[in-house]
Amino acid sequence: MADNSRKAALPPLRIALAGLGTVGTGVIRLLEANGAMVAARAGRDMRIVAVSARERSRDRGIDLSRYDWHDDMTEMPAREDVDAVVELVGGSDGPALTLARRTLGAGKSLVTANKAMVAHHGLDLAELAAQNGAALKFEAAVAGGIPVVKGLREGAAANAIEQIYGILNGTSNFILSAMEDTGADFDEMLASAQERGFAEADPTFDIEGVDAAHKLAILAAIAFGCRIDFASVETQGISRVRAADIRQAATLGFAIRLIGMADTEEQEGMTKLLQRVRPCLVPKDHPLAAVDGPTNAVVTEGNFSGRLLFQGAGAGDGPTASAVVADLIDLARGEAGGETSAPFSVPVADLKAMPPADPSGRKGRTYLRFTVYDRPGVLAEITAAMRDAEVSIESLIQEGRSDDGSEVLVAMVTHEGPEGCVTKAIELLADAEGLTAPPLVMPILQA
Amino acid sequence: MADNSRKAALPPLRIALAGLGTVGTGVIRLLEANGAMVAARAGRDMRIVAVSARERSRDRGIDLSRYDWHDDMTEMPAREDVDAVVELVGGSDGPALTLARRTLGAGKSLVTANKAMVAHHGLDLAELAAQNGAALKFEAAVAGGIPVVKGLREGAAANAIEQIYGILNGTSNFILSAMEDTGADFDEMLASAQERGFAEADPTFDIEGVDAAHKLAILAAIAFGCRIDFASVETQGISRVRAADIRQAATLGFAIRLIGMADTEEQEGMTKLLQRVRPCLVPKDHPLAAVDGPTNAVVTEGNFSGRLLFQGAGAGDGPTASAVVADLIDLARGEAGGETSAPFSVPVADLKAMPPADPSGRKGRTYLRFTVYDRPGVLAEITAAMRDAEVSIESLIQEGRSDDGSEVLVAMVTHEGPEGCVTKAIELLADAEGLTAPPLVMPILQA
């Protein structure tokens, strides 16, 4: 009979922390505020022994004198007094990747919030972790403080996952729900998000769907046991969504949300993977329609669990630090058994390469919005293209002229039909002279 | 360098399964349908070697001939070829408890869906597990297929939990949301729930809040590091909620939900615990207001994570089997390190005894509904009691006579004020001759 109640006498888990931005300082603040409780739950103390960041002198409001400072973060894994490294530097390559490789190569565990690095190099890093008996943990890389990596990898592990989708970018969701609340247009709400710290000075990764695509590619690998394939995520951002689209969608009973969605399909005798990040029309009675502000939410449909929803803060120093320290507690508890070989739920060698699925045969309803010159015949041109592509229109709304009188907005919702027909209709209109800009196409979420 | 990629060569996890009702047969069906995938994720096969149930001959639609049958389930833990026992028999005592004790006493791990047993005997069982180096796992005991035990014990482990609350009973939620949708009264919707398999022939545990109280007591122990105290859960069911209450609540912008809620408060120099299961008025824009049918949802507020929401099917064979097998996968992966000593997040010896908190000083708004005889002076009597107890009324609605003319319904919402005042007002009205029945008191959820 082993007496595991003496676990509290285990030596501390010794941590090197790279990156002292808001999340890094958040981790330090969390361990200061909740240290005794974290130690009680982890069964041992957590001790930060070394830190590194770009600037040593910056005032971060915390006392760094207790920790050894490294100008070169990539030296830290070699320290004999380090058991685990926390990487909060960011960037898919560069020092973060060097640090990750050295950590795992030294047989030490890595905890990271770096979605770009995991999306691009997660498989190599997982391989390295397995070879060296180390754990690779990245709860904080997906959906901030929401334990969705754990929920999917462990909580839903008994299920064949049929679909995973959700709101994976807090900045975009803040902007879309603010547009909904205020009636203001995209540019104005982006500026407001920037002022309030919900969007970065260069918001491209957030508003163009790249950040959500990183997270989706990671979730898809865990859900479907496939190799991460970030490059194949079809990505469309929210910068072309207008106040008028949100208004039309609301009239029809929908909210607009940036949705990352992945599922698989048998095509040509193979399992293929569809991964998409797109603004979608979400029915008002769907839980995702009610998710507002910088909140994230992930829905997964398991063949036994049914629908599971995980919701919470998708970013921010506190929530992200919460996820980082949860990973450290797992390591300290010794609950990372399978993670040394299978951070993506199955060993890397067993992850299947899944080619991108062709979505053209999928049936669904679609919202299409055209901006057109206010002159005769344009509507006929659009509806003729729809007819020729066999797209059946369920409803059509034509708005009055824009304020400057230069264009008219035409929005329509199709009946359920194959996606390929909508794509064809858009192609037929590629050279249409009546359009002032390419049409905006948004699927209607069916769930 | 350890090569953990050879984990797949581990021997199978050998399982004894006690109880072959819908959940037990669900576990067998799950392992048949998802077996290869489960083995890939677990790093080893799952093999049921022995089964037991009350009736051997009943047709369950599955082939039991592959498993050794035991008339006496409590023999199974002694089998040398059993690594873990799954207990799906139910009942807080009796054979289920004997089985649990023998399993853990033999140093084997126990997976159970038995909320009553864990609520009543969880601490003793956890002690026994720790003494014998075995794991006690009960994801399926709380909120069906939702991985909320894991979410709280591991996912949110870095946080001081400020509050945990949610919809913990699918039957009650089905009835309340059906009353909302149809306008029908409680008895009719209970009958409908029974017809549709969402309520048992004797629905007492579900509709009177006992089942939710079991789950709440378990969650509170994990969240607050306290000893399970089921006996102190203040429990009020939904059987007195009328269609008229739901209508009034809707008029005021609320849905009625049966909410289990726990938090702590410093009182008299001690940390005290408040645990309550009560029908509450939930603001329409709160995520819990939108939870309908037999769905469960748990909200936890962490001091760093902020609000986390876990939602999914709260019962049913598929979802519950999903949770049972997730626990088995944890065991197979060897990720139960800390669980052998701390199924409630910290070792049992470190769980604090927290006396029940006195809620009378808490401030909140309250919905009160009186049924009164239609005669002069009754309303004056009620409002005088409110005045004397210093309860300030925000709005009051008096409905016309009931169909049989015997009574009139008076509903009111108070301004924010101490709970103790409302309690006093109700006491003052205890002997009021104008009331046809004791008033119904429901708090308004503040969140």
Side-chain angles (χ1 to χ4, degrees):
Chain A
M1 287 200 281
D3 182 358
N4 286 43
S5 61
R6 296 214 193 90
K7 265 217 157 165
L10 280 174
L13 185 76
R14 297 163 304 175
I15 299 156
L17 175 58
L20 291 168
T22 54
V23 178
T25 53
V27 168
I28 292 176
R29 283 193 299 105
L30 191 159
L31 290 175
E32 282 173 0
N34 296 354
M37 201 196 60
V38 166
R41 290 178 180 165
R44 52 204 282 207
D45 280 336
M46 303 274 178
R47 189 178 301 161
I48 297 174
V49 294
V51 298
S52 178
R54 232 164 297 168
E55 291 173 71
R56 182 167 191 172
S57 57
R58 205 178 114 208
D59 180 15
R60 299 172 172 93
I62 49 170
D63 175 16
L64 294 178
S65 67
R66 289 161 296 175
Y67 318 123
D68 288 352
W69 177 271
H70 288 258
D71 284 326
D72 179 1
M73 69 178 80
T74 65
E75 294 168 359
M76 296 194 296
R79 286 178 64 122
E80 282 195 10
D81 63 350
V82 164
D83 303 310
V85 172
V86 175
E87 184 276 305
L88 302 170
V89 178
S92 62
D93 295 87
L97 185 59
T98 305
L99 177 69
R101 288 190 172 137
R102 288 199 187 165
T103 300
L104 298 169
K108 299 180 179 184
S109 292
L110 181 76
V111 173
T112 179
N114 191 331
K115 53 218 77 169
M117 182 176 76
V118 177
H120 285 281
H121 304 290
L123 299 181
D124 290 347
L125 294 175
E127 191 79 59
L128 196 59
Q131 283 165 5
N132 294 282
L136 168 64
K137 293 188 66 76
F138 45 82
E139 184 64 80
V142 182
I146 312 171
V148 65
V149 168
K150 182 178 283 288
L152 197 57
R153 185 187 174 277
E154 305 173 25
N159 293 273
I161 302 297
E162 288 159 1
Q163 194 178 36
I164 183 158
Y165 62 97
I167 294 170
L168 296 170
N169 182 267
T171 304
S172 298
N173 205 63
F174 176 88
I175 294 172
L176 288 173
S177 57
M179 288 170 73
E180 194 175 294
D181 293 344
T182 62
D185 237 316
F186 176 82
D187 291 335
E188 194 181 326
M189 288 302 102
L190 169 60
S192 154
Q194 285 169 322
E195 267 168 43
R196 298 176 58 178
F198 291 124
E200 296 181 44
D202 177 359
T204 314
F205 265 36
D206 289 318
I207 63 171
E208 295 306 344
V210 181
D211 173 79
H214 285 145
K215 296 167 184 168
L216 183 68
I218 296 168
L219 290 176
I222 300 171
F224 306 116
C226 59
R227 294 181 65 82
I228 298 177
D229 185 8
F230 168 68
S232 299
V233 184
E234 288 177 32
T235 303
Q236 177 186 336
I238 62 164
S239 56
R240 294 182 56 225
V241 176
R242 297 187 182 193
D245 295 313
I246 291 185
R247 208 160 53 232
Q248 301 297 3
T251 308
L252 298 163
F254 300 97
I256 297 178
R257 293 288 178 266
L258 183 67
I259 302 289
M261 186 282 292
D263 63 15
T264 61
E265 199 169 322
E266 298 302 313
Q267 287 177 349
E268 301 164 337
M270 276 179 288
T271 303
K272 296 194 178 182
L273 176 67
L274 190 68
Q275 302 176 97
R276 288 172 149 177
V277 174
R278 300 175 75 172
C280 294
L281 271 64
V282 179
K284 289 275 190 196
D285 61 355
H286 189 286
L288 294 186
V291 175
D292 56 13
T295 305
N296 279 196
V298 179
V299 177
T300 180
E301 309 267 358
N303 69 336
F304 277 76
S305 65
R307 180 192 286 182
L308 295 173
L309 169 71
F310 302 87
Q311 186 171 321
D317 52 340
T320 311
S322 164
V324 167
V325 177
D327 276 350
L328 290 170
I329 293 173
D330 271 3
L331 293 177
R333 279 173 167 165
E335 288 179 7
E339 277 161 297
T340 59
S341 58
F344 299 99
S345 198
V346 301
V348 180
D350 297 341
L351 292 170
K352 295 179 214 100
M354 292 188 189
D358 170 9
S360 61
R362 295 196 175 213
K363 290 196 169 171
R365 293 164 70 210
T366 306
Y367 171 93
L368 295 139
R369 185 259 294 156
F370 303 87
T371 48
V372 304
Y373 295 108
D374 188 14
R375 63 190 187 206
V378 182
L379 198 55
E381 193 174 8
I382 293 173
T383 51
M386 296 291 149
R387 179 201 60 211
D388 295 346
E390 298 183 72
V391 175
S392 165
I393 298 166
E394 180 186 301
S395 60
L396 185 147
I397 304 171
Q398 174 165 351
E399 271 210 347
R401 270 182 224 175
S402 59
D403 290 343
D404 62 1
S406 63
E407 60 182 19
V408 168
L409 191 137
V410 178
M412 58 181 73
V413 169
T414 71
H415 278 292
E416 186 170 280
E419 276 194 26
C421 295
V422 173
T423 309
K424 191 181 163 197
I426 300 300
E427 281 166 10
L428 290 175
L429 289 165
D431 300 322
E433 288 179 0
L435 305 190
T436 64
L440 179 68
V441 180
M442 296 190 283
I444 294 180
L445 186 73
Q446 290 174 298
Chain B
M1 287 202 281
D3 182 358
N4 287 41
S5 61
R6 296 215 193 90
K7 267 218 155 161
L10 279 174
L13 185 77
R14 297 164 304 175
I15 300 157
L17 175 58
L20 291 168
T22 54
V23 178
T25 53
V27 168
I28 292 175
R29 283 192 299 105
L30 192 159
L31 290 175
E32 282 173 359
N34 296 354
M37 201 197 60
V38 166
R41 291 179 181 164
R44 51 205 282 206
D45 279 336
M46 302 273 177
R47 189 179 301 160
I48 297 173
V49 295
V51 299
S52 177
R54 232 164 297 167
E55 291 174 71
R56 182 167 190 171
S57 58
R58 207 177 112 206
D59 180 14
R60 299 174 172 90
I62 48 170
D63 175 15
L64 294 178
S65 67
R66 290 161 296 175
Y67 318 122
D68 287 352
W69 178 270
H70 288 257
D71 284 325
D72 178 1
M73 69 178 79
T74 65
E75 293 168 358
M76 296 194 296
R79 287 177 64 121
E80 281 196 11
D81 64 349
V82 164
D83 302 310
V85 172
V86 175
E87 184 276 306
L88 302 170
V89 178
S92 61
D93 296 87
L97 186 60
T98 305
L99 177 68
R101 287 190 173 138
R102 290 200 186 165
T103 301
L104 298 168
K108 298 178 179 185
S109 292
L110 181 76
V111 173
T112 179
N114 191 331
K115 54 217 76 167
M117 182 177 76
V118 178
H120 285 281
H121 304 290
L123 299 181
D124 290 348
L125 294 176
E127 192 79 56
L128 196 58
Q131 282 164 6
N132 294 283
L136 167 64
K137 293 187 66 74
F138 45 82
E139 184 64 81
V142 182
I146 312 171
V148 65
V149 168
K150 183 179 282 288
L152 196 58
R153 184 188 175 278
E154 305 173 25
N159 293 272
I161 301 299
E162 289 159 1
Q163 195 178 35
I164 183 159
Y165 62 97
I167 295 170
L168 296 170
N169 182 266
T171 304
S172 297
N173 204 64
F174 176 88
I175 294 171
L176 288 173
S177 57
M179 287 171 72
E180 194 175 293
D181 292 345
T182 62
D185 238 316
F186 175 82
D187 292 335
E188 195 181 327
M189 289 301 102
L190 169 60
S192 154
Q194 285 169 321
E195 267 168 40
R196 298 176 60 179
F198 291 124
E200 298 183 42
D202 177 358
T204 314
F205 265 36
D206 289 317
I207 63 171
E208 296 305 345
V210 181
D211 173 79
H214 285 145
K215 296 167 185 168
L216 183 68
I218 296 168
L219 290 177
I222 300 171
F224 306 116
C226 59
R227 295 181 65 81
I228 298 177
D229 185 8
F230 168 68
S232 299
V233 183
E234 287 177 33
T235 303
Q236 178 187 334
I238 62 164
S239 55
R240 293 182 56 225
V241 176
R242 297 188 181 191
D245 295 313
I246 290 184
R247 208 160 53 232
Q248 302 296 3
T251 308
L252 298 163
F254 300 97
I256 297 178
R257 293 289 178 266
L258 183 67
I259 302 290
M261 186 282 291
D263 63 17
T264 61
E265 198 168 322
E266 297 302 312
Q267 288 177 349
E268 300 164 338
M270 278 179 287
T271 304
K272 296 194 178 180
L273 176 68
L274 190 67
Q275 302 177 96
R276 289 173 147 177
V277 174
R278 301 175 74 172
C280 293
L281 270 63
V282 179
K284 289 274 190 197
D285 61 355
H286 189 286
L288 295 186
V291 175
D292 56 13
T295 304
N296 280 195
V298 179
V299 177
T300 180
E301 309 267 359
N303 69 336
F304 277 75
S305 65
R307 181 192 284 184
L308 295 173
L309 169 71
F310 302 87
Q311 186 172 322
D317 53 340
T320 310
S322 165
V324 167
V325 177
D327 276 351
L328 290 170
I329 293 173
D330 271 1
L331 293 177
R333 279 173 168 165
E335 286 179 8
E339 275 161 299
T340 58
S341 58
F344 299 99
S345 198
V346 300
V348 179
D350 298 341
L351 291 170
K352 294 178 215 100
M354 292 188 190
D358 171 10
S360 61
R362 295 195 176 213
K363 290 197 170 172
R365 292 164 70 210
T366 306
Y367 171 93
L368 295 140
R369 185 260 294 155
F370 303 87
T371 48
V372 303
Y373 295 108
D374 187 15
R375 63 189 186 206
V378 181
L379 198 56
E381 194 174 8
I382 293 173
T383 51
M386 295 292 150
R387 179 200 60 211
D388 295 346
E390 297 182 73
V391 175
S392 163
I393 299 167
E394 181 187 301
S395 60
L396 185 147
I397 305 173
Q398 175 166 348
E399 272 210 346
R401 269 182 224 175
S402 58
D403 291 343
D404 62 1
S406 63
E407 60 181 19
V408 169
L409 191 137
V410 178
M412 58 181 74
V413 168
T414 71
H415 279 292
E416 186 171 280
E419 277 194 27
C421 295
V422 173
T423 309
K424 190 180 162 197
I426 300 300
E427 282 166 9
L428 290 175
L429 290 165
D431 300 320
E433 288 179 359
L435 304 190
T436 64
L440 178 68
V441 181
M442 296 190 282
I444 293 179
L445 186 73
Q446 291 174 297

